[in-house]
Amino acid sequence: MKRFGTLSFGHYGPLGGGRQLSAGDSLRQAVDLAQGMDELGANGIYFRVHHFARQQSSPMPLLAAIAATTKRIEMGTGVIDMRYESPLYLAEEAAAVDLISEGRLALGVSRGSPETVVRGYEAFGYTGSTDPRGADLAREHFDLFLRAIEGEGIAERDPNSPFGGGTGLQRIEPYSPGLRSRVWWGAGGRESAEWAGRTGLNLMSSTLVTEADGRPFDILQAEQIDLFRAAWREAGHAGEPRVSVSRSVFPLVTAEDHLSFGGRQDSDGIGVIDGLRTTFGKTYAAEPDVLIEQLQQDAAIAAADTLMLTIPSQLGVEFNLRVVESFASHVAPALGWEPQGA
């Protein structure tokens, strides 16, 4: 593990006891958390994207705010649902954020996960999918997005334009030359992981795998990562792709930590997502020395270069910064991590 950061769902709404977290509170707290993590030397802050829910849904304004107010930390998504996206508009926005941040965007995209509504992307105007999960629509949108950020000409120039004219095809602007290498595909299964490797994308391995054969989650996920890297090599792509995995990890350092997360240690779970039997990863909550031993034995963490800690963002900036600082101080160095700027 070379890098670590946080993955947040950005939940907001009632907190109990008459307390309320608004959408504005959630967004502003995300910026504050990014600034605090930047100072701690953490590597990244990433956000889940869900529509029709009290969670983050339009990440680009948030990522731009983080880009403009931090210096080193990577900011990104895990993941944007391509079924809902205008590919060319997303290409413009992503390039702008990447330029503002001077190349610190980690843009995770995918088909997306089940939503709270039925075929919600059709309400956004994206119809014509013949797949009950909209996977064909997501790939179609992604293909055009990828062509755009690669700088391919998209629209015919107007030779009579009062703004310069010309002939041939015009690319999308702004254009960020390195953005293509910072695009990640969120994969829950082997097939999508191999496709990402062949396509030359980085891999965000999900918090679940769409398999359930009785073997532990980390073993199934490590095999998925191996297949991804093999597909990358076989396709002849240069360099090494990045790979991230997500885990719920809570170091128990203070009495409050024990009160909040003590006894939360559990085992892998089995469920059904989109009609597929699926294995979910467990929560790690223990004293730092125990956590180190457990995480060192996690095959997928060992295979990845980036660990994303899923955090309860609704508990506020101070609480989550303490979780990050405890992990950075007491656990991460034993896994091979060094703070940025060290």
Side-chain angles (χ1 to χ4, degrees):
M1 187 197 81
K2 299 177 182 177
R3 305 174 180 88
F4 89 89
T6 59
L7 176 63
S8 167
F9 286 76
H11 292 292
Y12 57 91
L15 297 177
R19 296 174 301 153
Q20 180 85 12
L21 184 72
S22 71
D25 294 332
S26 177
L27 290 164
R28 288 186 292 270
Q29 288 182 12
V31 176
D32 291 343
L33 179 61
Q35 292 170 349
M37 288 174 59
D38 196 32
E39 293 175 4
L40 288 172
N43 301 92
I45 184 165
Y46 314 93
F47 300 92
R48 283 283 179 88
V49 179
H50 286 283
H51 299 282
F52 296 104
R54 289 179 173 179
Q55 299 177 39
Q56 305 295 359
S57 60
S58 53
M60 288 306 174
L62 174 59
L63 298 182
I66 292 172
T69 55
T70 57
K71 296 179 180 179
R72 297 170 299 186
I73 196 167
E74 182 175 77
M75 72 289 304
T77 52
V79 292
I80 289 175
D81 189 331
M82 290 303 297
R83 297 173 296 183
Y84 284 80
E85 294 297 322
S86 164
L88 300 184
Y89 190 46
L90 179 63
E92 292 177 337
E93 288 189 311
V97 173
D98 199 50
L99 292 167
I100 291 169
S101 68
E102 297 183 303
R104 291 183 286 135
L105 177 64
L107 191 72
V109 299
S110 190
R111 188 218 70 190
S113 59
E115 301 286 341
T116 60
V117 297
V118 178
R119 298 176 76 90
Y121 43 89
E122 293 184 346
F124 275 53
Y126 303 120
T127 59
S129 173
T130 59
D131 186 302
R133 300 180 299 162
D136 54 345
L137 193 62
R139 288 286 177 88
E140 178 185 324
H141 287 186
F142 179 73
D143 288 345
L144 180 55
F145 166 77
L146 203 60
R147 287 166 49 204
I149 65 168
E150 287 172 343
E152 180 179 323
I154 299 296
E156 187 72 32
R157 292 187 178 96
D158 181 358
N160 301 313
S161 170
F163 304 107
T167 59
L169 295 176
Q170 175 64 44
R171 74 183 185 191
I172 286 291
E173 296 287 354
Y175 171 69
S176 182
L179 177 57
R180 171 64 169 80
S181 67
R182 291 185 283 278
V183 176
W184 304 60
W185 187 262
R190 294 171 179 242
E191 182 181 346
S192 58
E194 290 181 292
W195 174 84
R198 289 193 301 270
T199 308
L201 306 171
N202 302 298
L203 177 67
M204 281 187 177
S205 191
S206 180
T207 51
L208 55 85
V209 291
T210 52
E211 298 178 69
D213 62 9
R215 288 182 295 162
F217 171 76
D218 67 305
I219 299 299
L220 294 171
Q221 192 173 45
E223 288 187 357
Q224 179 197 77
I225 293 169
D226 288 342
L227 290 169
F228 161 76
R229 288 200 171 110
W232 174 286
R233 291 191 298 269
E234 289 169 8
H237 298 299
E240 287 293 326
R242 287 182 59 188
V243 175
S244 72
V245 296
S246 303
R247 295 289 187 273
S248 295
V249 180
F250 299 102
L252 304 182
V253 177
T254 67
E256 186 177 356
D257 296 333
H258 281 271
L259 182 63
S260 299
F261 299 106
R264 287 287 298 274
Q265 190 74 38
D266 56 15
S267 57
D268 295 343
I270 303 295
V272 177
I273 294 289
D274 284 339
L276 301 172
R277 278 178 55 80
T278 299
T279 304
F280 301 85
K282 61 186 178 183
T283 295
Y284 291 97
E287 287 77 9
D289 57 337
V290 176
L291 271 185
I292 290 168
E293 183 178 351
Q294 292 175 334
L295 297 177
Q296 285 175 335
Q297 294 173 359
D298 187 304
I301 291 177
D305 61 80
T306 302
L307 174 60
M308 298 181 181
L309 307 178
T310 57
I311 57 168
S313 56
Q314 65 270 33
L315 295 186
V317 176
E318 182 179 352
F319 182 93
N320 285 289
L321 270 181
R322 193 175 73 249
V323 171
V324 172
E325 186 170 14
S326 293
F327 185 80
S329 299
H330 302 290
V331 180
L335 304 178
W337 174 80
E338 293 183 1
Q340 295 200 83

